[in-house]
Amino acid sequence: MLVAAAVCPCPPLLVPEVAAGAAPELDAARAACSDALGVLAAARPDLLLVVGTAEPGGRGPFPQGTPGTFRGFGVDVDVRLGTATGAAPERRLPASLAVGAWLLERTGWADARVEGLGVADTLEPERCAETGRELAGRAGRVALLVMGDASACRTLKAPGYLDERAAPFDAEAARALGAADVAALRALDPALARELKAAGRAPWQILAGAAHDTRLTGTLLYEDAPYGVGYLVATWS
C-alpha cells in the first residue's frame, strides 16, 4: 500500500549546471524537494516509484539502475535511477525521471529500491486511477516520487504565453496536493490541463489513485511560478 508520496516539479533547470547563472532562483524549490524526499525516507518504504510524463519513446517502466543524462541541455551531467544493478538497461530515462533521479542522488537516497514509470500527459483520469492502484499494490510499503509541473501559462513570457485560467488551475492543484484531496485531484480536467501545458496532471491523478482508501495527510511545501511555470512541492504521509 501507499505509505508516503512527494510531489516535485520536473524542470531540468532544477539541476544547477543546467540553470547556470540562474541557478539561485530555484534554491528554495530545491530545498523544498530535499525536505520532501526526507519525508519519503522517514516512511521506510520497501519500494520507491518515480512517476513522470514522457514522450512516446520514454514511456513505460524503467528498472533500478537506468541511466539518464542532461547532455541534451549542454551540460556534462549524468544520473542513474538508484544504484546500478549490473544489468544493462536498454533505454535512458526521460527528462522528468532524470530530474527525479538527480534529486535522489542529491539527497543520497539509499532507503529502498527504486523504479521509474514514464506516462503520457494525455493519460485519461480513469486509467491514471487504475495505474495508481496497480503501483500501490507493488509492495507492502510503497512510496511515490511524483514529478510534474503545473501550468506553463502564468505570464506573457511563459512557454505557453499568458492564459487567465492558469492561476486558478494552479491554485486548485496546490490546494488539493496540500490537502491530500484525492477527489479534487481526480476531478482535474485533462483537456484544460493540456491547454495550459500542465504536465503534472496525469502523475497527480496517478497519485490520487494510489492513495485511494488511505488516510494520508498532505503538506504544501512550495508554490511559485518562476519563468511563468507553476512549480509545486508537497508531501503526503
Side-chain angles (χ1 to χ4, degrees):
M1 64 175 292
L2 183 71
V3 296
V7 176
C8 294
C10 61
L13 287 172
L14 274 181
V15 180
E17 291 87 345
V18 175
E25 297 177 15
L26 291 180
D27 280 348
R30 294 184 193 97
C33 290
S34 294
D35 291 344
L37 265 61
V39 171
L40 297 186
R44 301 177 65 182
D46 303 315
L47 172 65
L48 172 62
L49 295 163
V50 186
V51 180
T53 55
E55 296 299 320
R59 295 172 190 167
F62 291 85
Q64 178 165 306
T66 301
T69 185
F70 295 97
R71 294 174 188 265
F73 297 93
V75 297
D76 187 15
V77 177
D78 297 322
V79 294
R80 190 175 296 278
L81 189 64
T83 57
T85 62
E90 297 179 358
R91 301 186 294 163
R92 289 189 178 273
L93 297 171
S96 64
L97 301 190
V99 174
W102 179 82
L103 288 173
L104 292 170
E105 288 188 358
R106 182 172 183 262
T107 55
W109 179 269
D111 299 273
R113 78 179 192 273
V114 185
E115 298 176 14
L117 178 66
V119 299
D121 64 359
T122 55
L123 197 65
E124 292 296 325
E126 283 305 315
R127 183 57 188 143
C128 289
E130 293 170 6
T131 300
R133 289 192 291 269
E134 292 167 1
L135 295 181
R138 289 281 311 279
R141 297 180 64 81
V142 173
L144 292 182
L145 175 53
V146 181
M147 306 299 298
D149 302 339
S151 72
C153 301
R154 292 283 293 274
T155 66
L156 292 174
K157 294 184 178 180
Y161 197 66
L162 176 64
D163 190 315
E164 294 181 353
R165 301 171 297 172
F169 177 92
D170 289 359
E172 173 58 11
R175 186 206 64 78
L177 290 169
D181 189 337
V182 169
L185 289 176
R186 293 190 65 174
L188 292 175
D189 183 348
L192 175 60
R194 188 160 179 80
E195 290 174 12
L196 297 177
K197 302 183 183 301
R201 190 275 310 172
W204 299 338
Q205 290 186 327
I206 288 172
L207 168 60
H212 181 68
D213 285 340
T214 68
R215 295 184 178 181
L216 301 182
T217 58
T219 302
L220 185 66
L221 301 181
Y222 177 87
E223 177 185 7
D224 202 357
Y227 319 117
V229 181
Y231 296 153
L232 304 172
V233 180
T235 58
W236 292 18
S237 62

